Amino acid sequence: MKNLFRISVCFFMLVLLASFLPVNKVAAEETKPMLAIVIDDFGQARAGVKEMLDNNCPLTCAVMPGLDYSIKDAEDAFAKGHEVILHMPMEAYGKLPESWYGPKVIRNYDKPEKAKQLIKECIEATPHCVGVNIHIGSGVCLNKELMTAIMEEVRDNGKYFLDSKTHEKSVCTEVAAATKEDFVSRDFFLELTGNPDYNHAKSELMKAAKLAKKRGYAVAIGHVGPEGGVSTARAIRDCLSEIESMGVEIVPLSKIVQLTKTKNI
């Protein structure tokens, strides 16, 4: 009986000690809600570029290919501690001005082989690139054959894919599952199209933070240039302390991709 009592006491002490070990702190940190803020349109218009990169949080900077500032913006973003992805122009569902696309664009009528080659070239031309998302693309994201080729190429280059969800019927989620591509979708846009609005950007960002707290993660997309620029950069800066007080961590998008991959969300 004495031996049994001693064993019971030892077991109780071990359980009590385990509750104070650092491993519990690590586990808590791993489940902290995460918010990724992706900023599109680097490489072209300069409005808000400096202000955005100076924000004291890790942004994910989506850089358009083949433009005057594409390489500089990618290098500057990386130097400031931000994550860099390729913001790949893809044709819209309807007619849009050609100047909106830039010199490198995947067309709705392109063959899969051409789409693959363009993706490969643009990934290689974007310094520090770890992922790809869609610029415009409301037509291409409906084309299962093209999106399959695109996702396969992104996967084979070891990059993740973010569906910007520029069309509600996007096939990207389905194609990502079929191709086993590391993937996540956008939850919020911070701006109304072509209409920078500081208060609107703050409101949408806080909605994203609340979703992250509820679901465990969220993805918001904003813009440099005429759609957001300085206005959106200020909104992000002014929300940082409130987001932190909610217990939500702003992270590079790759962390959320890894989370969803690990937990199969």
Side-chain angles (χ1 to χ4, degrees), residues 92-146:
Y93 184 78
K95 184 72 173 175
L96 291 176
E98 285 299 308
S99 61
W100 289 14
Y101 291 107
K104 304 284 186 179
V105 54
I106 296 174
R107 303 287 180 179
N108 292 323
Y109 53 75
D110 281 343
K111 299 294 184 184
E113 295 75 18
K114 182 175 182 181
K116 285 191 172 194
Q117 184 59 36
L118 270 171
I119 285 284
K120 182 177 177 61
E121 288 176 4
C122 292
I123 286 175
E124 291 175 350
T126 306
H128 313 293
C129 174
V130 297
V132 177
N133 78 334
I134 300 173
H135 175 61
I136 304 178
S138 58
V140 172
C141 76
L142 306 179
N143 186 323
K144 191 179 293 186
E145 182 182 32
L146 269 184

Side-chain angles (χ1 to χ4, degrees), residues 176-191:
T179 58
K180 295 181 167 47
E181 164 63 353
D182 294 342
F183 174 83
V184 70
S185 290
R186 184 264 315 165
D187 296 302
F188 293 89
F189 277 126
L190 299 185
E191 306 98 352

Side-chain angles (χ1 to χ4, degrees), residues 59-256:
L59 302 174
T60 300
C61 299
V63 182
M64 292 178 64
L67 298 171
D68 291 344
Y69 295 95
S70 297
I71 293 176
K72 176 176 170 38
D73 281 356
E75 294 286 8
D76 288 351
F78 183 78
K80 289 275 191 176
H82 303 300
E83 189 159 276
V84 176
I85 64 175
L86 167 65
H87 192 39
M88 188 68 210
M90 302 183 196
E91 193 173 7
Y93 184 78
K95 184 72 173 175
L96 291 176
E98 285 299 308
S99 61
W100 289 14
Y101 291 107
K104 304 284 186 179
V105 54
I106 296 174
R107 303 287 180 179
N108 292 323
Y109 53 75
D110 281 343
K111 299 294 184 184
E113 295 75 18
K114 182 175 182 181
K116 285 191 172 194
Q117 184 59 36
L118 270 171
I119 285 284
K120 182 177 177 61
E121 288 176 4
C122 292
I123 286 175
E124 291 175 350
T126 306
H128 313 293
C129 174
V130 297
V132 177
N133 78 334
I134 300 173
H135 175 61
I136 304 178
S138 58
V140 172
C141 76
L142 306 179
N143 186 323
K144 191 179 293 186
E145 182 182 32
L146 269 184
M147 285 311 310
T148 297
I150 290 165
M151 293 249 192
E152 287 175 346
E153 189 62 34
V154 174
R155 177 200 64 200
D156 292 348
N157 278 270
K159 316 301 179 186
Y160 65 75
F161 194 91
L162 164 66
D163 183 10
S164 303
K165 290 185 74 174
T166 55
H167 196 290
E168 62 182 8
K169 294 183 179 179
S170 167
V171 299
C172 289
T173 300
E174 176 188 349
V175 171
T179 58
K180 295 181 167 47
E181 164 63 353
D182 294 342
F183 174 83
V184 70
S185 290
R186 184 264 315 165
D187 296 302
F188 293 89
F189 277 126
L190 299 185
E191 306 98 352
L192 298 168
T193 302
N195 185 23
D197 185 321
Y198 169 82
N199 291 324
H200 181 81
K202 281 188 70 175
S203 173
E204 294 304 294
L205 190 56
M206 294 313 301
K207 287 179 187 177
K210 288 172 185 174
L211 175 61
K213 194 165 180 66
K214 178 180 179 181
R215 187 178 66 183
Y217 74 95
V219 179
I221 294 181
H223 299 77
V224 291
E227 282 198 50
V230 174
S231 176
T232 296
R234 284 180 50 238
I236 293 169
R237 180 197 67 197
D238 293 347
C239 286
L240 292 181
S241 60
E242 187 173 356
I243 292 171
E244 182 180 1
S245 71
M246 292 170 63
V248 175
E249 182 182 8
I250 297 176
V251 299
L253 184 59
S254 57
K255 284 199 172 185
I256 290 179

